[in-house]
Amino acid sequence: MGTTAAADADAETETVTAGVVGGSGFAGGELLRLLDGHPNVELVQATSREYAGKSIGGVHPNLRGRELRFSEPSALESVDVLFTATPHGITMEHVEEYTDAADLLVDLSADFRLATEGQYDEWYDGHTAPEYLEVAEYALPELNRENLGDADIIASGGCNATATLLGLKPLADAGVLGSEAQGASDTSSGGEPRDGADVVVDVKVGSSEGGAGGGAASSHAERSGVVRPYAPTGHRHEAEIEQWLGLSVSFTCHAVDMVRGASATCHVFPDGPVSKKELWTAYRGAYEAEPFVRLVAGGSGSYRYPEPKAVAGTNYADVGFELDPGNERVVVFSAIDNVMKGSAGQAVHAANVALGFEETAGLEFAGLHPVGSP
Ligand SMILES: NC(=O)c1ccc[n+]([C@@H]2O[C@H](COP(=O)([O-])OP(=O)(O)OC[C@H]3O[C@@H](n4cnc5c(N)ncnc54)[C@H](OP(=O)(O)O)[C@@H]3O)[C@@H](O)[C@H]2O)c1
């Protein structure tokens, strides 16, 4: 066996210990499901203040029969990797404690997604540990794989931002979104970067995005049947999207009658003609080697474009597009499961990269078909 093969074998059999702070929530529950089945992970702790002492299966019925019980977050065990799935503001408050307890911290909240304190002043209520912002790496491997290997803190992306970024980044890199965009100088598509494109993003999200605590607007009676604009302007994920695309987008979000799922429809009005061939080149180039992004554009049958049902419960993102030459528009679709690719799945994928495991370890399973509302 050569050195590389031996190293690969070591990576396949190595096991790390993991803990989850906020294990009783929706994103935390998905982390527990994923880590429970992960070939390289021994899950040793899950915290919840409300359910301390109760079995994890008592809160997440899909995990019935597992022995692990919730414990208090104030009694953290030392682990190799600690996932935090807590509301905004908790990880930044406890970051020293969390990084003392683990070699690698993977945070699912928004606490370390943005690059500067100024962005937190503008989009959130400031930041209490800004010195850690430059240490943290954004999790989405499709955008930031090369920086995850050495990371000590990984910030898992927002679900709406993830859906939007996966839809638009190939166009930004191909110069279709204009010269403002990151990577726009890459003219691999053959053309010159365009001056700038108008980009309008409309995301529809399921109720699990609001967390297990929910609120009045999330109760079944209120939420059922809803198609409700809940963030017509000023959604915080806009900051994350603009940070990675390098240009501004007009972003609106609707709450719809799904439990899981985020579906982004992005209307792009490029400042110059674009061909379908150019679009295919951009998307194939970006995603043909990506294990969790599938191109779904046209074809026949019912499932011709991305939709959340087809990715529910999985770490896949389905991305597709259509050209509208009459209106000089490109319309891009991107569908994910908000608590998987938009949160826990993305976090585990990024941890796999950081820890040198097979990237797809613990994540390579298809969803259900047929299935009811995701
Ligand atoms: N839901 C999504 O679709 C989604 C997608 C992407 C990212 N996220 C992010 O992931 C994080 C968790 O979201 P969620 O939807 O899973 O929320 P959630 O269902 O409300 O769960 C929150 C978890 O945090 C724990 N918690 C709350 N306050 C805490 C504290 N002070 N110290 C320690 N633990 C605390 C809660 O348990 P106890 O109160 O019992 O301790 C619970 O386990 C959020 O930052 C959210 O923005 C969520």
Side-chain angles (χ1 to χ4, degrees):
M1 196 185 280
T3 319
T4 312
D8 287 349
D10 284 350
E12 275 167 30
T13 53
E14 192 192 339
T15 301
V16 298
T17 53
V20 175
V21 179
S24 61
F26 285 158
E30 283 295 74
L31 278 171
L32 298 184
R33 177 171 74 98
L34 294 174
L35 298 175
D36 177 66
H38 196 295
N40 305 103
V41 171
E42 184 194 356
L43 179 62
V44 297
Q45 186 175 26
T47 82
S48 166
R49 297 161 308 163
E50 184 176 354
Y51 299 104
K54 298 216 161 41
S55 72
I56 60 171
V59 172
H60 305 295
N62 54 333
L63 299 178
R64 261 183 204 133
R66 274 45 173 195
E67 284 178 9
L68 189 65
R69 290 181 178 276
F70 288 111
S71 52
E72 291 283 351
S74 53
L76 278 190
E77 293 186 26
S78 286
V79 287
D80 296 309
V81 52
L82 182 65
F83 294 88
T84 47
T86 44
H88 177 64
I90 306 296
T91 305
M92 66 170 86
E93 190 186 327
H94 294 273
V95 62
E96 276 188 36
E97 180 191 344
Y98 293 165
T99 49
D100 279 351
D103 295 333
L104 174 64
L105 171 65
V106 185
D107 180 44
L108 276 61
S109 82
D111 288 12
F112 293 96
R113 291 178 196 157
L114 301 180
T116 67
E117 188 176 6
Q119 286 171 292
Y120 280 93
D121 290 339
E122 182 183 348
W123 290 91
Y124 293 86
D125 307 317
H127 204 288
T128 58
E131 66 275 22
Y132 286 86
L133 290 175
E134 64 179 319
V135 180
E137 290 292 345
Y138 197 65
L140 248 192
E142 292 82 359
L143 270 60
N144 198 30
R145 178 177 280 108
E146 64 278 12
N147 291 316
L148 293 174
D150 297 325
D152 296 321
I153 300 177
I154 293 175
S156 192
C159 48
N160 305 318
T162 296
T164 305
L165 284 168
L166 289 173
L168 291 177
K169 192 65 168 58
L171 297 186
D173 288 345
V176 174
L177 299 190
S179 53
E180 252 191 298
Q182 264 184 22
S185 57
D186 173 8
T187 51
S188 54
S189 58
E192 289 297 311
R194 294 164 178 82
D195 285 343
D198 288 328
V199 183
V200 178
V201 180
D202 181 15
V203 176
K204 290 112 189 154
V205 296
S207 57
S208 61
E209 189 183 87
S218 292
S219 75
H220 179 72
E222 294 289 350
R223 182 74 189 218
S224 180
V226 144
V227 181
R228 177 185 298 146
Y230 83 86
T233 61
H235 194 293
R236 288 166 163 182
H237 289 187
E238 204 173 296
E240 236 171 293
I241 296 165
E242 293 178 352
Q243 173 170 283
W244 281 93
L245 291 183
L247 83 171
S248 51
V249 298
S250 301
F251 184 91
T252 293
C253 217
H254 287 80
V256 301
D257 190 359
M258 301 187 287
V259 173
R260 286 168 183 255
S263 174
T265 305
C266 311
H267 305 272
V268 176
F269 298 89
D271 187 33
V274 188
S275 70
K276 204 152 188 181
K277 186 170 175 228
E278 195 178 349
L279 295 175
W280 274 112
T281 302
Y283 281 99
R284 284 209 182 101
Y287 293 139
E288 66 189 349
E290 286 296 343
F292 292 115
V293 184
R294 308 183 296 197
L295 292 181
V296 186
S300 58
S302 305
Y303 294 97
R304 290 179 292 140
Y305 296 102
E307 52 182 290
K309 257 177 90 164
V311 294
T314 80
N315 195 46
Y316 290 104
D318 284 355
V319 174
F321 56 86
E322 204 46 84
L323 189 59
D324 177 11
N327 292 304
E328 298 180 350
R329 177 179 70 128
V330 180
V331 56
V332 178
F333 307 101
S334 171
I336 59 170
D337 180 328
N338 53 301
V339 274
M340 283 293 293
K341 183 67 179 171
S343 186
Q346 175 182 159
V348 171
H349 185 185
N352 284 344
V353 176
L355 295 166
F357 297 144
E358 193 69 45
E359 272 200 30
T360 54
L363 293 169
E364 209 176 23
F365 45 84
L368 301 173
H369 179 82
V371 67
S373 167

